[in-house]
Amino acid sequence: MSTTHATRHTHRAPPGMSRPGAGPATRALLKVTIRQDAHNIAPWVVLISVLSASSVLIYAWIFPDAADRTALATAMRGNPALSLIFGPARDLSTSDGFNAWRAGQLGAFFAGLMTILIVIRNSRADEDSGRAELLASGVLARQSRLAVAVAMATLASVALGVVCFVLTVACGGGLAATLVLSATFTASGLMFAGVAAIAAQLGSEARTASSLAIATLAVCFVARGYIDTSGGGDWMTWLTPLGWLAQARPATDNNPWPLLVALAFAVVLIAVAFVLQGRRDFGQGLLAGRPGPAEAGLAGTVWGLAVKLHRGALLSWSIGLTLLGLVLGNLASSVGDVLADNPAMAAILASGAVTVSDLTFAFVITILQLIAIIAAVMGVQMIQRVHAEEIDLRVEPLLAGSLHRSTYLASNVVVALVGSGIAMMLAGTGLGVVASAADSSISIGEVIGQALLMIPGAWVLVALAVAAVGAAPGKRLVGWLGIVATFGLTILGPTFRLPDWALSISPLRHVPHVSAVSPEWAGFVVLVGVVVALLAVGFVGFRHRDVL
């Protein structure tokens, strides 16, 4: 009898009866899970809360008088690139309005990502590792594992709302505006916990479930951004769950009713997830995975194995970035005239540009910087997978043979670097094709060339993750912090008028511009040197440290 069939018989109770002691066992499991997973959740709660509190703190410092705030509002209003990321700027004359714009949609996105990872990590990932089956052999109901995962996500969402509210109010935020904004983070966390709970029933393994849930979150975020930038009516924002949160309008209307819709939606999603769980086999997904081939095929070599392990991420990220390039190319073709009529916005998004075509291409560079950061996220995710394989004890058997450590690490690093580079080029090509077709002043060759030059900038972030995972896996969070810091310095730094030395920390600032009369190739050489140095740290560290 197979393990799966044995598990099904073991875990089923007679209809209408619950297993004795399942309730206390579930509560005990929840307590243990909280102790084990709290250190993974706390950074998310702190970072999102700091994002909100820092907006209130820096507002009066960066925009001290009415003239500065009016200039900010003029620059941000109607800015398509920033509306895509942050949503429309409704009221930038107060610190609460600025906080709602800067932290609202971004915080909701990260809150959703937080709960997706919590639910998948504590449900399907435990089934894949066998820990869930071991626990289920005792006095534990079958639905307990999912209930604990959802409870963990709920507690994290509530904790995020409470901590964010207390910290932001302590920094000077208004009570009503901060309460509504914090509640949107909680609501986003609950909704995407429901999405993840359903994805955990559909995917044949944790990786597939994560991809399904994160792709859903990304589609919702891009759809909300496109609706905001395309000038659609308010009714269109109701087409995406993140649009519901925007309708709460913190600091302007403070309308709580859309949040109740989000809460009801989360309850429905979670109920559907429990129904679906009862219709699948333990350890399996409703979307059955394909049986493996009789022969090793692509996985016959360590290089092919790396490609096969990251194949899903390569395809999904490449498709997503290509679509993003096509969407942003449509925006780039019309932004030149907008920037020409708005010197304040041009100073932020296209500093140094004079003519309309210069302004347009400077905006294209800003878009490519954003795409490079997203491509780097793809590469960092693949490098973090190396550590996940290690703690799941799947690396040691490979290294027990003649396979050298450096070869194993190199197979994954090459896939991460080449994959992020290809995704960057696909997005840049899509951007160039659409933008040049709509605006003859935009050269598709220059756009593609600029995208090519952005790749070493993205590789610096991937190499930073390689250095951390290879030499000091306990500090692997540095890889993600590099992404966050680069995003803040590159996209937000000019808005906040940070000094040049601070902006120069971002690797993307050193990428030469192909349209410049004399491109600064020295910066490109420095970027390549930094990539090589960080990779060397990672490979040397991986050779000399213990492997689990």
Side-chain angles (χ1 to χ4, degrees):
M1 181 180 293
S2 68
T3 304
T4 300
H5 289 168
T7 305
R8 292 178 62 186
H9 290 301
T10 302
H11 298 157
R12 283 186 173 175
M17 295 180 62
S18 59
R19 301 186 66 185
T26 302
R27 288 192 290 274
L29 178 61
L30 177 60
K31 291 179 182 177
V32 171
T33 307
I34 290 174
R35 285 200 296 270
Q36 291 180 338
D37 209 26
H39 70 283
N40 292 320
I41 299 172
W44 289 92
V45 173
V46 171
L47 286 175
I48 298 171
S49 300
V50 168
L51 176 67
S52 171
S54 64
S55 300
V56 175
L57 274 178
I58 64 176
Y59 181 75
W61 174 53
I62 298 179
F63 309 105
D65 51 43
D68 290 327
R69 297 170 185 179
T70 301
L72 173 70
T74 303
M76 296 299 107
R77 190 170 294 118
N79 182 335
L82 295 183
S83 291
L84 182 70
I85 301 171
F86 300 104
R90 292 190 171 88
D91 180 13
L92 297 180
S93 63
T94 66
S95 60
D96 287 324
F98 178 74
N99 183 28
W101 170 74
R102 178 176 178 256
Q105 286 296 324
L106 209 55
F109 177 85
F110 285 122
L113 185 59
M114 174 187 74
T115 54
I116 285 173
L117 297 179
I118 291 173
V119 171
I120 300 298
R121 184 168 59 237
N122 291 288
S123 56
R124 281 315 303 271
D126 277 350
E127 288 189 33
D128 293 349
S129 68
R131 287 191 292 268
E133 185 173 19
L134 179 64
L135 290 171
S137 63
V139 185
L140 194 67
R142 181 178 180 182
Q143 63 271 25
S144 296
R145 173 57 59 181
L146 181 59
V148 167
V150 171
M152 287 286 295
T154 302
L155 290 173
S157 300
V158 173
L160 169 60
V162 172
V163 173
C164 182
F165 174 77
V166 172
L167 188 61
T168 305
V169 169
C171 292
L175 288 176
T178 306
L179 180 61
V180 173
L181 180 65
S182 301
T184 62
F185 298 158
T186 299
S188 177
L190 294 175
M191 283 194 296
F192 287 98
V195 170
I198 290 178
Q201 316 313 313
L202 299 177
S204 57
E205 57 180 343
R207 194 172 25 153
T208 306
S210 295
S211 298
L212 288 172
I214 293 175
T216 303
L217 173 62
V219 168
C220 291
F221 189 80
V222 173
R224 190 278 313 154
Y226 187 79
I227 291 170
D228 287 337
T229 54
S230 63
D234 280 348
W235 67 271
M236 291 186 68
T237 61
W238 291 93
L239 298 178
T240 166
L242 291 178
W244 306 349
L245 305 181
Q247 287 297 322
R249 298 175 182 250
T252 51
D253 295 342
N254 292 328
N255 180 12
W257 294 110
L259 302 182
L260 296 180
V261 176
L263 178 61
F265 183 60
V267 172
V268 171
L269 290 177
I270 292 170
V272 170
F274 276 98
V275 172
L276 294 178
Q277 188 192 41
R279 297 176 181 274
R280 72 174 175 90
D281 289 338
F282 187 86
Q284 305 295 315
L286 292 174
L287 301 177
R290 292 182 301 174
E295 299 180 354
L298 183 63
T301 66
V302 66
W303 301 95
L305 176 63
V307 172
K308 190 169 185 177
L309 285 175
H310 301 298
R311 183 172 53 189
L314 283 171
L315 290 174
S316 57
W317 279 102
S318 297
I319 294 172
L321 281 170
T322 302
L323 294 175
L324 184 63
L326 295 173
V327 171
L328 294 178
N330 187 43
L331 295 176
S333 61
S334 61
V335 77
D337 293 335
V338 176
L339 293 175
D341 295 337
N342 195 326
M345 188 194 305
I348 293 174
L349 293 178
S351 177
V354 178
T355 65
V356 172
S357 60
D358 289 342
L359 291 168
T360 301
F361 196 77
F363 180 71
V364 167
I365 292 175
T366 301
I367 292 176
L368 288 174
Q369 289 174 334
L370 177 62
I371 292 174
I373 294 172
I374 299 174
V377 171
M378 167 188 173
V380 171
Q381 182 191 39
M382 293 179 179
I383 296 303
Q384 298 286 348
R385 178 75 189 275
V386 174
H387 178 69
E389 291 288 307
E390 184 180 345
I391 62 175
D392 286 339
L393 305 179
R394 288 196 284 264
V395 175
E396 188 178 22
L398 291 173
L399 299 178
S402 59
L403 179 61
H404 197 276
R405 288 188 180 198
S406 297
T407 306
Y408 170 76
L409 183 59
S411 64
N412 290 275
V413 170
V414 168
V415 172
L417 293 178
V418 174
S420 57
I422 291 175
M424 181 75 211
M425 290 308 300
L426 289 173
T429 302
L431 172 65
V433 168
V434 174
S436 62
D439 187 343
S440 59
S441 68
I442 301 177
S443 167
I444 183 173
E446 286 187 345
V447 175
I448 294 176
Q450 190 64 53
L452 183 63
L453 293 179
M454 285 287 176
I455 292 176
W459 280 359
V460 169
L461 302 177
V462 180
L464 179 62
V466 173
V469 170
K475 296 180 174 58
R476 63 191 180 281
L477 191 60
V478 168
W480 295 117
L481 291 178
I483 297 283
V484 174
T486 301
F487 175 83
L489 292 170
T490 306
I491 305 300
L492 300 179
T495 306
F496 297 144
R497 303 171 189 173
L498 296 181
D500 284 342
W501 68 264
L503 297 176
S504 297
I505 297 174
S506 168
L508 300 178
R509 187 173 174 82
H510 302 283
V511 174
H513 296 178
V514 295
S515 62
V517 176
S518 300
E520 298 179 359
W521 296 108
F524 185 82
V525 174
V526 170
L527 288 177
V528 174
V530 172
V531 171
V532 173
L534 289 172
L535 291 178
V537 171
F539 276 85
V540 172
F542 193 66
R543 283 187 59 186
H544 290 88
R545 71 172 174 85
D546 292 334
V547 174
L548 297 176

